[in-house]
Amino acid sequence: MPKSYFPEIKGPIPFEGKGSKNPLAFRYYNKDQKVGGKTMAEHLRFAVAYWHTMMADGTDMFGGASYDRAWHAPSDPIDRAKATMDAAFEFFTKLGVDYYCFHDRDIAPAGESFAGSCKNLEIMVDYAKGLQKQTGVKLLWGTANLFGHRIFTAGASTNPDAHVFALAAAQVKNAMDATLALGGENYVFWGGREGYESLLNTDLKHEQEQLARFFHMAVDYAKSIGFKGQFLIEPKPCEPTKHQYDTDTATALAFLRQFDLIDHFKINVEANHATLAKHTFEHELTVASAAGKLGSVDANRGDLLLGWDTDQFPTDIYSTTLAMLVILKQNGLGSGGLNFDAHVRRSSIDPVDLFHAHIGGMDAFARGLLVAHRIIEDKALSSFIDERYVSYKSGIGAKIMAGQVGFAELEKYILEKGMPVMRSGRLEMLENLLNDYI
Ligand code: XLS
Ligand code: CA
Ligand code: CA
């Protein structure tokens, strides 16, 4: 029997339904239950974020580690990485999720040299391969940590020093190799420190061109190794830099279009990054989806009273319902999924808290899925919205949309028909309706 890191959890976490009093059971997430044409597992494609769940130790700005993780005990870095991975796969299977996500430096420790880091990554990729095979758990996405090492303080691909750009490229090359080797279904680029503190020392135009070069190299390299996974950009407005280049979805899409990268990328929307950008989560999802570019989701939430990236587990049914409305409307996330980029609080020191946190997040999204599915089936919102835009379906509206009239014709129309009549947006009524469904 291999060592167990969660002996109190016999696993897999059961579905017990709404009335259950068992805190270690699902009330809504019932993996194989069909909602419309797909099972809940197929709709939601949950993933565990390795960096938070396995690597975090409770450290914050004001103090050091608060959790003792048995899997961090071995003193040799590779032994520690292997123990951590054993614990990770035990956690994935006991929880009952099909996917996980990692940065290169989460699964493998940095070495003394770049070559040493690559070697460590290779060792851990082999180890992960074995555990994936044993458990059936798959890699949703891989990425590279281009922000932790101090050499990346002034950015990775947007660094003013081309030597640092080269290091970042070499690291991403290896992280992509690792993602390919593990059958990763996507590869994520979050901006890390790709932004700036001050224009006093920054050539913004040059840095954006560097970033575009980097992405083109990534596209070329993926092609050369036969990586068919989806590339995703994850916008964030700030933190760690004051201004990040991939500020929000609209900005990232404009960047991709400007630099002829749009065909190669979709967006990974994170809820907490949306609110940091002063958008709602559903706004960011909708902007990405409207462009046909919603690829995946980092499922978490911020705290409205704290202005930073708190990465808490999602528990708000309104938010998950509104998110699932967007996701269902575009018929799912394709190769993407719902990655819990979230950590338990500094005071949640026990390994079992990791189960409570994920169970809550999974139930919140399962419930959001069920509610959103009913709203869509009943056309509860869409019939109102369709009616609101009905004037574009015929007459002058149809001509506007078909490009058959211009300003001169519309002036003539107004002179003939007179002033339009105002209509209520019925927001309060719709809010009540949403509450009825929830
Ligand atoms: C940080 C980001 C990061 C990405 C992956 O704020 O959320 O964790 O998801 O690099
Ligand atoms: Ca994220
Ligand atoms: Ca975050």
Side-chain angles (χ1 to χ4, degrees):
M1 252 316 255
K3 176 176 170 136
S4 170
Y5 293 95
F6 306 95
E8 70 275 43
I9 309 291
K10 302 298 166 229
I13 298 295
F15 168 73
E16 292 184 2
K18 204 174 153 189
S20 171
K21 293 276 177 278
N22 175 5
L24 289 166
F26 295 114
R27 281 150 186 70
Y28 296 90
Y29 182 62
N30 186 9
K31 216 174 169 155
D32 300 319
Q33 182 183 325
K34 283 253 170 102
V35 181
K38 290 194 271 183
T39 65
M40 282 198 176
E42 288 164 345
H43 274 293
L44 298 167
R45 297 169 57 86
F46 289 127
V48 172
Y50 209 96
W51 52 103
H52 285 305
T53 298
M54 304 317 302
M55 304 305 288
D57 60 9
T59 298
D60 72 6
M61 298 284 272
F62 303 95
S66 65
Y67 331 140
D68 278 321
R69 299 299 196 214
W71 52 89
H72 290 166
S75 53
D76 173 74
I78 289 290
D79 290 346
R80 184 161 61 241
K82 286 184 175 171
T84 302
M85 198 171 273
D86 290 338
F89 279 81
E90 183 186 347
F91 181 75
F92 306 154
T93 36
K94 287 190 167 175
L95 180 64
V97 291
D98 296 329
Y99 290 97
Y100 71 116
C101 299
F102 63 66
H103 300 88
D104 47 2
R105 298 292 180 262
D106 303 330
I107 61 165
E112 299 273 318
S113 61
F114 176 73
S117 299
C118 296
K119 183 77 212 143
N120 288 351
L121 185 59
E122 227 172 84
I123 294 170
M124 292 312 298
V125 164
D126 268 348
Y127 200 70
K129 244 187 218 168
L131 287 166
Q132 286 188 193
K133 200 159 169 219
Q134 243 176 64
T135 59
V137 174
K138 293 166 280 188
L139 180 62
L140 186 68
W141 50 262
T143 188
N145 181 329
L146 300 178
F147 43 90
H149 194 290
R150 70 190 186 117
I151 195 67
F152 296 126
T153 298
S157 64
T158 62
N159 199 287
D161 182 352
H163 201 142
V164 179
F165 182 108
L167 174 67
Q171 195 179 322
V172 168
K173 174 187 175 291
N174 281 269
M176 275 172 57
D177 290 344
T179 304
L180 173 69
L182 293 173
E185 297 184 26
N186 308 270
Y187 186 91
V188 164
F189 296 87
W190 165 57
R193 297 181 193 272
E194 311 295 26
Y196 66 86
E197 298 304 331
S198 168
L199 290 172
L200 293 178
N201 64 1
T202 301
D203 183 342
L204 179 144
K205 184 167 185 284
H206 196 271
E207 292 200 359
Q208 291 198 326
E209 286 166 6
Q210 290 172 222
L211 185 57
R213 279 310 315 143
F214 197 83
F215 287 147
H216 275 290
M217 288 179 196
V219 169
D220 292 345
Y221 186 68
K223 215 177 186 180
S224 77
I225 59 172
F227 177 68
K228 301 257 164 26
Q230 177 65 52
F231 274 177
L232 298 165
I233 288 199
E234 183 182 322
K236 185 175 184 180
C238 53
E239 212 186 294
T241 59
K242 185 166 85 175
H243 179 98
Q244 309 235 158
Y245 293 127
D246 303 321
T247 296
D248 61 4
T249 297
T251 309
L253 290 174
F255 174 88
L256 292 171
R257 290 194 184 101
Q258 180 182 349
F259 291 102
D260 200 19
L261 287 156
I262 192 78
D263 292 341
H264 305 288
F265 286 81
K266 286 189 175 178
I267 303 289
N268 183 38
V269 171
E270 179 178 313
N272 202 165
H273 297 180
T275 49
L276 284 176
K278 293 205 161 47
H279 297 309
T280 59
F281 182 24
E282 59 272 19
H283 168 90
E284 285 292 87
L285 294 168
T286 303
V287 172
S289 185
K293 290 291 174 187
L294 175 57
S296 202
V297 171
D298 272 8
N300 63 8
R301 73 185 154 107
D303 183 316
L304 292 181
L305 301 184
L306 302 173
W308 67 89
D309 196 15
T310 58
D311 284 347
Q312 290 162 232
F313 276 84
T315 53
D316 180 341
I317 316 294
Y318 282 92
S319 172
T320 59
T321 297
L322 295 172
M324 288 313 300
L325 275 173
V326 184
I327 293 168
L328 286 180
K329 262 190 235 155
Q330 69 156 41
N331 204 15
L333 291 169
S335 67
L338 300 175
N339 168 45
F340 290 114
D341 190 355
H343 58 83
V344 293
R345 273 40 163 258
R346 181 170 160 79
S347 54
S348 302
I349 58 172
D350 295 331
V352 72
D353 290 313
L354 296 172
F355 281 92
H356 293 306
H358 285 84
I359 289 169
M362 291 163 79
D363 264 348
F365 267 94
R367 213 168 147 185
L369 166 65
L370 290 167
V371 177
H373 176 70
R374 278 194 290 123
I375 291 175
I376 290 174
E377 286 285 283
D378 294 354
K379 298 192 167 50
L381 293 171
S382 63
S383 61
F384 183 86
I385 294 176
D386 288 348
E387 175 56 29
R388 198 163 182 234
Y389 292 84
V390 77
S391 62
Y392 288 92
K393 289 279 177 280
S394 61
I396 195 68
K399 285 186 182 156
I400 290 172
M401 295 314 287
Q404 290 165 355
V405 289
F407 282 180
E409 289 83 358
L410 293 177
E411 183 193 44
K412 196 164 155 258
Y413 179 86
I414 288 297
L415 290 172
E416 251 173 58
K417 303 273 175 181
M419 285 294 280
V421 179
M422 264 188 90
R423 291 191 305 161
S424 168
R426 294 271 188 278
L427 257 189
E428 291 76 10
M429 180 190 85
L430 295 170
E431 285 166 349
N432 298 349
L433 183 143
L434 179 61
N435 269 0
D436 269 353
Y437 273 86
I438 287 176

